[in-house]
């Protein structure tokens, strides 16, 4: 029963993510976008990226993939300086920012 509840709860988020990705892909086919269209496209790309860090999507999917990636990348000398900061700050950022977003 718990597996089913998690799966059903994730369907709306996955569907919304898929529709947004499809919409962005179709908008990128515009050869010469106006400034307004280009601004809207970049705004929607950022919103899609931030969507990946929003609960429950972050808790169930993104965190499981992002944490090992950041741990691996943190072993690279100069890049590790940035990823260590991101790794330390990410849980707090996710709790505070996306708690406010959800209300």
């Amino acid at each position: 029963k718990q597996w089913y509840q998690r799966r059903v709860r994730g369907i709306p988020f996955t569907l919304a993510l898929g529709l947004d990705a499809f919409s962005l892909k179709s908008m990128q086919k515009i050869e010469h976008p106006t400034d307004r269209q280009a601004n809207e496209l970049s705004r929607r790309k950022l919103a899609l990226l931030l969507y990946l860090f929003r609960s429950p999507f972050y808790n169930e999917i993104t965190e499981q993939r992002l944490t090992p990636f950041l741990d691996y990348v943190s072993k690279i000398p100069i890049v590790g300086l940035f990823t260590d900061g991101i790794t330390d700050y990410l849980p707090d950022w996710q709790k505070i920012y996306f708690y406010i977003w959800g209300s």
Side-chain angles (χ1 to χ4, degrees):
K1 185 176 177 179
Q2 290 176 347
W3 174 83
Y4 176 75
Q5 288 174 341
R6 275 190 288 151
R7 184 134 176 122
V8 169
R9 189 176 66 190
I11 290 174
F13 290 98
T14 306
L15 184 62
L17 179 66
L19 287 173
D20 243 4
F22 177 75
S23 175
L24 281 173
K25 189 70 173 170
S26 64
M27 280 186 70
Q28 287 180 337
K29 293 180 181 178
I30 299 173
E31 290 185 24
H32 302 290
T34 64
D35 288 340
R36 187 174 180 186
Q37 289 172 326
N39 288 339
E40 178 65 15
L41 188 60
S42 63
R43 184 195 68 79
R44 289 181 60 195
K45 284 180 183 178
L46 179 62
L48 185 63
L49 177 67
L50 291 175
Y51 185 83
L52 298 175
F53 291 96
R54 187 175 177 196
S55 291
F57 198 87
Y58 175 80
N59 295 339
E60 297 196 17
I61 297 173
T62 306
E63 183 177 29
Q64 296 171 1
R65 289 170 174 79
L66 185 62
T67 304
F69 173 75
L70 289 175
D71 289 342
Y72 176 76
V73 174
S74 69
K75 297 174 185 171
I76 300 172
I78 295 176
V79 177
L81 296 172
F82 298 106
T83 57
D84 287 342
I86 292 171
T87 303
D88 293 342
Y89 185 64
L90 192 59
D92 296 328
W93 181 57
Q94 200 273 335
K95 287 177 190 172
I96 296 167
Y97 181 73
F98 294 106
Y99 174 77
I100 293 169
W101 186 1
S103 53

